[in-house]
Each structure stands twice: as structure tokens, then as C-alpha cells.
Amino acid sequence: MSTVTEPLEGVPEVATADAGAAPGFRRLAAKWLLARARQPGLTVAWLIVVLVFLWAVVPAMFTTSSPVVGNVASSLQPPSIHHIFGTDDLGRDMYTRMVYGASHTLSATLYAVAVGFLAGSTIGLIGGYAGGIVDGVIMRFIDVLLSVPTLMLCMVIVAALGYNTLNVALSIGIASIASFARVMRADVLRVVHSEYVESSYGLGAKRLRVLVLHVLPNSVGAVLSLAALECGTAMLAVAALGFLGYGDPPPTPEWGLAVAEGQTYLATQPYLALIPGAVIAVVVLSTNRISRAIGKGR
């Protein structure tokens, strides 16, 4: 005669739950790995961006050399095991300068995108929601910004405020206000005329409440996608203005400045300009790849 043991009432079956959770976790991990395998370019882009972010946050973890003090006896050495990016005319390790320069370039990029995102989104939100004369005045201001070449506008602003990377970032952010404002305004106009917003008005909701609870949350998505795309554009602009001498002066380890310093030796030591340029190009392309994936909702 067999005995059947019934589970005690109120006692959870921990072993069963754990046994079911493990296969579920393995399935999720397998799906994630399969998705990464199907998009190797996106995976590589994320790895590059994460690496550059770590360069900016903890540069001492990747190199022990100084980015500003070099050994003149080791100047103008080509890439080797001891100096994987070579050395410059002052004997400074180029790899070290790229690592420490990531903090300057990345912080300026994020600052520029934040300025453009906050100011442009606010202007576009006000214009699209207020309408009428307010919207007309704001759009004329946006048209004026769009009529001026971005690089020229940045150069004028930096020349007026002073030559340093912070002002370079501010100028790039101001130049990108028009793009964020146009995208935000277009989405606000779409949401304002939707049925659920009109229903809220019919139920007696105040304009400010509708703006905060309905219009803003449903309009900010496209602007966030644009912000991700603008990161690559802003980084390229920061490097370009640094190359032209509008950023921090030497010996600051800034990527654009490194390209400018290396162009003097382009005929004899081309790596001094080509390697910093390649670093900029790879990071910008990786950022753009990630932004496209974010825009497609992948």
C-alpha cells in the first residue's frame, strides 16, 4: 500500500518555483545572445561606447602614464608594444592622451546635447501648445537659427565668449536648439489634436494639467531619439572646433586638438593625426549605429 504525501497548506513550493525560474532565465539569456548574434554591428558599437565611457570615468584603470608629461628621448616613436598608438613630438604616449581626452570630448558632447535638448524641447513645446502669435514668433526665431551655418554660428559664439571646451559645447548646444524645437513642435501639434486630449478638455481639465499629463509624455519620444542621434553630431563638432583651435589650449589631451597637433608631421609620422582621427570616426559611427537602433525601437 502506497502513501501519498500532500503538501502542507500555506507552505510555498520553493523547489518547484526555483526549478521553473532557472529555465526561464536561461531562455531569456539565450534570446538576448541570439539577438546580439543577429546584430553584431550593434553589439560592437555598444562595446566601443562603453569602453570610451570607461575611459572618461576611470582613465587611470587603462593607463598609468601622464597625458601631459612625456619623455623627449622617446619622442616620435611609431606604434609598438610599449606605445600602441606611438608617441608625439614631446614623447607623450598617444594612447594615454586618447584615454584622458575621452573625458573632455565626451563631457562636452553630453553638455551640448543637454543644452539643445532642454532649450529646444521647451521652445518647441511652448510654440506648439500655445499656437497663434507665440508659435509664429518662435518659428521665425527657429528659421533664423536654421539659416546660419552651424559651424559658423559656433565659431561666432565661441569667439564672443572665449576659447575653451565649455564654450564650444555651449555653442554647439545653441546651434542644435532649432532641430530639437522643430521635432518637439511637430509632435506637440499631433498630440494636441488627438481625441484623448480633446476628451480631457471636455471633462474640464485645465490646460496646464493636460500639458503635463498628456501632451508632454506623448511628445518627448521623438526628441529623445533625436538626442541620441545628436550625440554623434555633437562629438564631431566638438572635435572639429578643437581642431580649429577654439577649444582648450595645449597641453590639454583633447581629441580634435590631437589631430591638429599631428597634422604637422603628416608626411613623416602620419599616425599622429590618423590615429586620433580614426578614434573620433569609430566612436561617432558607433554612436550613430546605437541611435538608429533606439529610433527603430530595437
Side-chain angles (χ1 to χ4, degrees):
M1 183 168 126
S2 60
T3 304
V4 178
T5 304
E6 297 291 338
L8 296 177
E9 184 178 356
V11 177
E13 299 181 12
V14 179
T16 304
D18 291 343
F25 175 77
R26 287 196 293 267
R27 283 195 298 269
L28 290 176
K31 288 182 179 179
W32 186 85
L33 291 175
L34 181 61
R36 301 286 72 78
R38 290 175 177 174
Q39 296 179 334
L42 180 60
T43 303
V44 173
W46 273 113
L47 291 176
I48 291 173
V49 170
V50 169
L51 175 62
V52 172
F53 178 78
L54 292 176
W55 280 4
V57 176
V58 283
M61 188 173 70
F62 297 91
T63 178
T64 57
S65 303
S66 170
V68 296
V69 178
N71 182 8
V72 180
S74 303
S75 62
L76 298 179
Q77 291 189 2
S80 62
I81 298 177
H82 300 289
H83 304 283
I84 58 175
F85 287 175
T87 60
D88 63 6
D89 56 335
L90 298 178
R92 298 172 298 190
D93 183 64
M94 288 298 296
Y95 168 73
T96 301
R97 289 183 63 79
M98 292 297 99
V99 171
Y100 278 89
S103 62
H104 294 270
T105 303
L106 187 60
S107 60
T109 299
L110 296 178
Y111 180 63
V113 173
V115 170
F117 173 79
L118 295 175
S121 299
T122 303
I123 292 173
L125 180 64
I126 294 174
Y129 194 63
I133 297 177
V134 175
D135 186 34
V137 171
I138 288 177
M139 289 311 299
R140 298 297 74 77
F141 169 72
I142 297 303
D143 292 339
V144 170
L145 281 181
L146 291 174
S147 66
V148 182
T150 301
L151 188 59
M152 182 181 296
L153 179 60
C154 293
M155 293 169 65
V156 170
I157 294 174
V158 175
L161 298 179
Y163 293 84
N164 58 64
T165 303
L166 181 62
N167 291 335
V168 165
L170 179 61
S171 68
I172 296 171
I174 293 174
S176 65
I177 286 176
S179 301
F180 285 102
R182 285 172 65 90
V183 173
M184 188 66 172
R185 175 182 177 273
D187 261 27
V188 168
L189 291 176
R190 174 185 58 82
V191 173
V192 164
H193 296 93
S194 59
E195 293 182 358
Y196 59 87
V197 171
E198 295 178 354
S199 300
S200 299
Y201 285 134
L203 294 174
K206 302 295 184 181
R207 287 179 61 85
L208 182 60
R209 180 180 177 84
V210 172
L211 175 65
V212 174
L213 295 182
H214 299 293
V215 177
L216 181 59
N218 291 284
S219 304
V220 76
V223 186
L224 290 175
S225 299
L226 178 61
L229 184 61
E230 283 290 328
C231 284
T233 305
M235 184 177 297
L236 196 59
V238 169
L241 290 171
F243 173 82
L244 295 174
Y246 286 85
D248 289 333
T252 305
E254 200 271 325
W255 289 356
L257 181 60
V259 178
E261 292 175 340
Q263 69 174 343
T264 306
Y265 302 92
L266 196 58
T268 55
Q269 282 83 21
Y271 64 89
L272 289 177
L274 294 180
I275 289 179
V279 170
I280 296 170
V282 168
V283 176
V284 170
L285 291 175
S286 300
T287 305
N288 289 342
R289 178 64 183 91
I290 294 172
S291 66
R292 289 199 304 272
I294 293 175
K296 293 178 181 178
R298 295 180 182 177

